[in-house]
Amino acid sequence: TTLQYNTTGKNGQCIFSPLLHHTTYNDKKGKKIMDPNAQLLQDIYQNTVMGKVALNQLIKRCEDPDFRKAMADQFAEYHQVQTEAQRLLKATHLDPKRPPVFPLRVHTSLNLRLDRTSTHMAEMLMQGSVMGIVDLSRSLRKYSLAGNEARALGEQLLRTEENNLRRLQRYL
């Protein structure tokens, strides 16, 4: 069963309703597309999972207490956004889909074998934040019909990623 295109509210945004808990609906041409709220929230959720997985590995191996605290603060920001994305998804009877994290863990472990300095860890995190910014920007544009809550959460995470870049520069 799919939602029909006329389930949009003001400005063409998709209505976020527990009764409308399917993840696809038909566009004006009858083509089945993902619910923009569900997809944007999934993308936000997956972005935060990837960030938390990387940070968890780095925090355990970091010897600089100041940098470890900065990473813990970043982890807490990701956790707050992740929790909200999860809440919004569950409000529509959807379970968040966890991204495949094994490749990230392997890549991070191999990178840390080469260099465990705070400078290298900061560089790794900055690369991750840049990827997050690109992915989030793309998702926000692609799912422009998503509701205000989902878009606001995506924009909050985008600001978090941008702030992470500025904060991490001091460790280079």
Side-chain angles (χ1 to χ4, degrees):
T1 307
T2 59
L3 301 178
Q4 296 303 310
Y5 190 79
N6 63 1
T7 58
T8 55
K10 250 191 332 188
N11 301 325
Q13 293 178 323
C14 187
I15 297 170
F16 215 32
S17 165
L19 301 174
L20 306 175
H21 61 274
H22 304 286
T23 59
T24 60
Y25 67 98
N26 296 326
D27 69 6
K28 289 179 180 176
K29 297 177 183 176
K31 180 181 172 189
K32 190 178 281 192
I33 58 175
M34 287 294 288
D35 169 17
N37 282 310
Q39 191 58 54
L40 181 56
L41 289 169
Q42 286 290 357
D43 290 355
I44 292 167
Y45 179 83
Q46 291 181 359
N47 183 297
T48 59
V49 168
M50 297 298 274
K52 285 175 60 178
V53 166
L55 284 164
N56 189 43
Q57 279 186 274
L58 296 176
I59 289 169
K60 290 177 184 177
R61 291 171 179 85
C62 182
E63 296 174 7
D64 177 350
D66 181 49
F67 187 47
R68 198 170 39 244
K69 165 95 171 75
M71 287 190 290
D73 292 344
Q74 190 175 345
F75 185 95
E77 289 174 357
Y78 283 138
H79 183 73
Q80 183 272 324
V81 173
Q82 179 186 15
T83 301
E84 183 63 11
Q86 193 170 10
R87 183 190 71 77
L88 290 170
L89 282 165
K90 287 186 181 238
T92 59
H93 307 287
L94 294 172
D95 289 321
K97 295 176 187 153
R98 191 166 166 84
V101 295
F102 181 74
L104 173 63
R105 285 190 175 129
V106 170
H107 179 74
T108 303
S109 292
L110 290 174
N111 249 303
L112 290 175
R113 283 186 185 168
L114 298 173
D115 187 349
R116 289 180 54 168
T117 63
S118 295
T119 299
H120 184 66
M121 288 182 188
E123 184 179 334
M124 290 169 61
L125 289 171
M126 290 177 81
Q127 290 170 354
S129 287
V130 167
M131 287 191 313
I133 289 168
V134 169
D135 290 344
L136 278 168
S137 297
R138 185 179 294 131
S139 293
L140 285 164
R141 188 176 55 255
K142 184 175 181 180
Y143 304 112
S144 61
L145 295 180
N148 292 336
E149 282 186 298
R151 290 193 57 74
L153 191 60
E155 289 164 4
Q156 177 186 344
L157 182 54
L158 188 59
R159 283 189 305 276
T160 296
E161 294 286 19
E162 291 166 346
N163 289 334
N164 289 341
L165 286 176
R166 282 190 285 282
R167 286 186 288 223
L168 289 167
Q169 286 177 351
R170 70 181 269 217
Y171 296 101
L172 294 177

